[in-house]
Amino acid sequence: MNFLRRRLSDSSFVANLPNGYMMDLQRPDNSTSSPVSPAMERKHPQPPQPSQSSSTGTSIFSSISSAMKQTTQAAAGLIDHSTSPTPPVAPKPKILLVIDDAHTEWAKYFQGKKVNGEFDIRVEQAEFSELNLAAYVTGGCMVDMQVMRNGTKVVRSFKPDFVLIRQHAYSMALGEDFRSLIIGLQYGGIHTVNSLYSIYNFCSKPWVFSQLIKIFNSLGPEKFPLVEQTFFPSHKQMVTTPNFPVVVKLGHAHAGMGKVKVENQHDFRDMASIVAMARTYATSEPFIDSKYDIRIQKIGNNYKAYMRTSISGNWKANTGSAMLEQIAMTERYRLWADACAEMFGGLDICAVKAVHSKDGKDYIIEVMDSSMPLIGEHVEEDRQLIADLVVSKMTQLVTTAGSTPSPLRPWPPQVQPQSVKTQPGPQLAQLSQPRPPPQGGPRQPQASQPPRTNAPPQQRLSPQGQQPQSPMSTSPQQQRSPGSPQQVRSATGSSPVQASKAGVFPPQQPRPPAQGRAPSQPSPTETSKQQANPHPHLNKSQSLTNTFSISESSQRGNPNEDEAKAETIRNLRKSFASLFSD
């Protein structure tokens, strides 16, 4: 047993024992020998198993190695990131600004709707009085909104993509004039329902009535019965009216405001004084003893007709108590709505108001735009129709993301390099003209001399290395015959012999060698040919260069050009010999 205990205390021996064998040796039995005591175990503790620590260290080392390997491969461009899945980016929602009072919450009618099936719609609602804006040429329109929501002031700034206008932009009765905001939206290029052009034109009721007069003249009184109305630019024209009673309307107002029923001439004069105090225009129309009012509304392609009867006995059916009911939509009413919807470039939302008199006749008195109030039992349905119409218009008019043209577009358009290379300008064509033939040499065809494009002629130096002179300082005769005695005589003011003795030669011309050949003067025919083809674009130095130097095209080995070169040299020698023959 002592031997066994010593062996058990040996850690190397215990580590090599099979699994479970140590437990069998430590299990108590019926013998008198006691197992290893806990004190002995504490005295000779077993060493910690290195398997877990080594595995942990190995896993950390392998993780670091793999990370470094991936980093190295990514730096070397071995990993293709295009195949790695990227999370989808949600498109930016389109901002819809609804100009209306707080009684109608328009956000719920656009919930779940998308522009072009892709972009969500974020609704911002405020009144005209809560808005301010700034418009830019290239930056669109920036709107500032300050509204009160549940007692909290909310301030926001955004760029609307579309605007739904459900309020009047101008009203004299309430002292509200928001036409500057309409101008700002138009300045920023914002699309709206209805169009900003029509909304701005609806800020004056007589101006709208003038469009009704055009429809009346086009369709006739049977199809389009329009009430007879008179317009007064100021109170000075309000002297009298043929029939009474009449209804006088002051300026531009809504909801029955600014309308007065005048019974006689005296009351009409008193009304003229009120118009003078208001400093505005006025209209008058015959009073119609109505049985009920008619209203035909059009929202997109949806039509509804309503009949409103006054209960309180007021001559204004829209004032006081009234009974409202929906009536059948007839072709006559549809014609009215369609005809009025064509004014000012088109009205997506409009309503026609008419009066049905007690004698059974109808009279059209007014037309309203998108700011018309919704009435009847189908108000929720009409709001949903307006929301669908706005989404349809946004899909048609609002530019999708990524296709908006850059505002900073160069103007005029830049010329492509290909067009410059294939179509040279007139200056390049002039510079690439063939050189004039030398004196006494044969004239060479233009096709045999390709255009020189390696260096412009203006930058070439003369044979003596001098800079070219201005073409105005050289006469055409000197350009035609640089080696003639006339040129030497004109340059020195003496005879050729005196010029040679004095050592004076023509500018930019090398000193010719004295040769004892017979003099040879150019023939009159050759002189006339050179005079018939002057080159005004070549100055004196260019003419001398073209005459004395050998062209680059002649160095390419053409037999005709070699003969011309030899003939040129011979003629030059003859010319120089004639100068010093005396």
Side-chain angles (χ1 to χ4, degrees):
M1 290 300 295
N2 294 330
F3 172 75
L4 182 60
R5 291 176 180 174
R6 287 196 300 271
R7 297 295 292 176
L8 289 176
S9 62
D10 190 359
S11 59
S12 61
F13 173 76
V14 174
N16 294 326
L17 289 177
N19 293 333
Y21 194 80
M22 182 66 186
M23 299 300 297
D24 294 337
L25 295 177
Q26 293 179 359
R27 185 178 300 139
D29 51 8
N30 296 327
S31 62
T32 58
S33 61
S34 61
V36 180
S37 63
M40 182 65 67
E41 293 181 357
R42 289 194 298 270
K43 186 176 180 181
H44 301 282
Q46 295 183 0
Q49 298 293 336
S51 59
Q52 295 181 357
S53 60
S54 61
S55 62
T56 305
T58 304
S59 62
I60 295 176
F61 179 75
S62 61
S63 302
I64 296 175
S65 300
S66 61
M68 294 177 64
K69 184 177 181 181
Q70 292 180 1
T71 305
T72 307
Q73 292 178 355
L78 301 177
I79 299 179
D80 187 7
H81 295 279
S82 61
T83 59
S84 60
T86 57
V89 180
K92 186 178 180 180
K94 300 297 181 181
I95 301 178
L96 171 64
L97 173 61
V98 181
I99 302 178
D100 198 0
D101 52 34
H103 297 90
T104 304
E105 185 181 356
W106 283 96
K108 65 179 182 180
Y109 298 101
F110 292 92
Q111 188 174 4
K113 298 183 182 296
K114 292 182 178 292
V115 178
N116 201 17
E118 181 181 1
F119 301 92
D120 294 331
I121 300 177
R122 195 184 94 190
V123 179
E124 299 286 351
Q125 183 174 343
E127 300 184 17
F128 269 121
S129 58
E130 299 171 338
L131 295 177
N132 197 1
L133 59 84
Y136 312 92
V137 174
T138 58
C141 184
M142 178 64 71
V143 176
D144 299 330
M145 181 177 68
Q146 297 182 5
V147 297
M148 297 296 295
R149 293 289 184 267
N150 300 325
T152 304
K153 186 176 181 180
V154 178
V155 180
R156 294 178 184 173
S157 297
F158 54 88
K159 288 185 177 182
D161 297 297
F162 201 87
V163 179
L164 171 62
I165 300 179
R166 292 280 301 142
Q167 275 189 333
H168 298 289
Y170 179 62
S171 177
M172 289 184 178
L174 302 177
E176 297 176 343
D177 186 1
F178 303 107
R179 289 177 290 184
S180 59
L181 297 180
I182 302 298
I183 296 174
L185 293 175
Q186 178 73 17
Y187 197 97
I190 307 299
H191 298 287
T192 62
V193 167
N194 287 340
S195 66
L196 294 171
Y197 175 74
S198 64
I199 291 175
Y200 192 84
N201 281 277
F202 264 86
C203 291
S204 177
K205 287 192 173 182
W207 184 263
V208 178
F209 199 88
S210 66
Q211 302 298 314
L212 297 178
I213 296 175
K214 292 182 178 180
I215 301 174
F216 170 78
N217 295 331
S218 176
L219 300 178
E222 296 296 331
K223 295 183 179 181
F224 197 81
L226 186 64
V227 66
E228 296 182 2
Q229 190 180 84
T230 305
F231 174 75
F232 303 103
S234 64
H235 70 285
K236 299 178 181 179
Q237 291 79 21
M238 298 178 62
V239 179
T240 183
T241 184
N243 298 318
F244 290 100
V246 295
V247 177
V248 179
K249 300 178 181 179
L250 281 74
H252 181 80
H254 306 279
M257 303 184 70
K259 302 177 182 178
V260 180
K261 180 182 177 181
V262 179
E263 297 287 348
N264 50 50
Q265 181 69 26
H266 301 287
D267 295 341
F268 187 78
R269 290 180 180 177
D270 293 341
M271 195 66 219
S273 64
I274 301 299
V275 174
M277 293 296 297
R279 296 182 180 179
T280 182
Y281 52 80
T283 60
S284 67
E285 58 191 45
F287 173 76
I288 300 172
D289 191 5
S290 63
K291 185 177 180 179
Y292 55 84
D293 287 354
I294 302 173
R295 171 174 163 162
I296 302 99
Q297 73 179 24
K298 180 179 181 296
I299 302 175
N301 296 323
N302 182 268
Y303 299 83
K304 288 185 177 67
Y306 294 95
M307 178 180 66
R308 184 170 52 188
T309 305
S310 178
I311 299 177
S312 58
N314 196 319
W315 66 273
K316 301 178 184 179
N318 58 353
T319 303
S321 301
M323 182 177 61
L324 182 68
E325 59 178 323
Q326 187 174 358
I327 58 177
M329 187 70 188
T330 63
E331 292 297 328
R332 179 182 174 90
Y333 296 159
R334 188 184 299 269
L335 176 63
W336 294 356
D338 291 339
C340 293
E342 295 179 358
M343 65 173 58
F344 302 127
L347 304 176
D348 299 309
I349 303 173
C350 65
V352 181
K353 293 178 64 175
V355 175
H356 184 78
S357 63
K358 293 181 178 179
D359 55 1
K361 295 182 181 181
D362 295 331
Y363 299 93
I364 299 174
I365 61 174
E366 190 181 357
V367 61
M368 297 180 289
D369 63 346
S370 60
S371 59
M372 65 179 188
L374 301 177
I375 60 176
E377 300 176 355
H378 305 284
V379 174
E380 292 295 323
E381 178 186 352
D382 294 340
R383 290 172 181 167
Q384 193 63 51
L385 289 172
I386 293 176
D388 295 338
L389 176 64
V390 169
V391 174
S392 176
K393 287 292 181 180
M394 291 180 69
T395 304
Q396 296 176 7
L397 301 177
V398 175
T399 307
T400 57
S403 62
T404 304
S406 177
L408 301 178
R409 180 174 296 178
W411 185 260
Q414 297 180 357
V415 182
Q416 298 296 332
Q418 292 81 1
S419 61
V420 176
K421 294 180 180 179
T422 57
Q423 297 180 359
Q427 296 181 356
L428 295 178
Q430 293 175 3
L431 296 179
S432 62
Q433 291 179 356
R435 295 179 178 181
Q439 183 178 2
R443 181 179 298 274
Q444 304 208 5
Q446 296 182 359
S448 63
Q449 295 185 2
R452 300 188 303 111
T453 57
N454 52 356
Q458 287 82 352
Q459 297 179 1
R460 295 179 60 87
L461 295 177
S462 63
Q464 295 181 354
Q466 299 179 0
Q467 294 294 332
Q469 296 181 359
S470 173
M472 299 300 295
S473 62
T474 307
S475 63
Q477 184 177 3
Q478 293 174 348
Q479 295 180 6
R480 289 193 297 268
S481 55
S484 62
Q486 290 81 0
Q487 184 176 4
V488 178
R489 186 179 296 111
S490 61
T492 59
S494 60
S495 64
V497 179
Q498 295 176 354
S500 63
K501 292 180 179 180
V504 179
F505 292 93
Q508 304 175 357
Q509 177 178 348
R511 183 184 299 270
Q515 297 182 4
R517 294 192 177 184
S520 175
Q521 297 294 336
S523 61
T525 306
E526 295 176 351
T527 307
S528 61
K529 288 183 179 180
Q530 294 181 2
Q531 292 179 358
N533 297 290
H535 290 270
H537 300 284
L538 302 177
N539 54 24
K540 180 178 178 181
S541 62
Q542 297 169 7
S543 176
L544 294 174
T545 303
N546 295 336
T547 304
F548 289 104
S549 63
I550 302 174
S551 63
E552 292 84 0
S553 61
S554 65
Q555 297 177 0
R556 299 182 181 178
N558 270 336
N560 296 332
E561 295 176 354
D562 293 337
E563 294 177 1
K565 169 186 173 183
E567 185 67 20
T568 303
I569 295 175
R570 287 195 296 269
N571 291 330
L572 288 175
R573 289 176 178 176
K574 294 178 182 180
S575 300
F576 291 144
S578 63
L579 294 176
F580 307 100
S581 60
D582 295 338

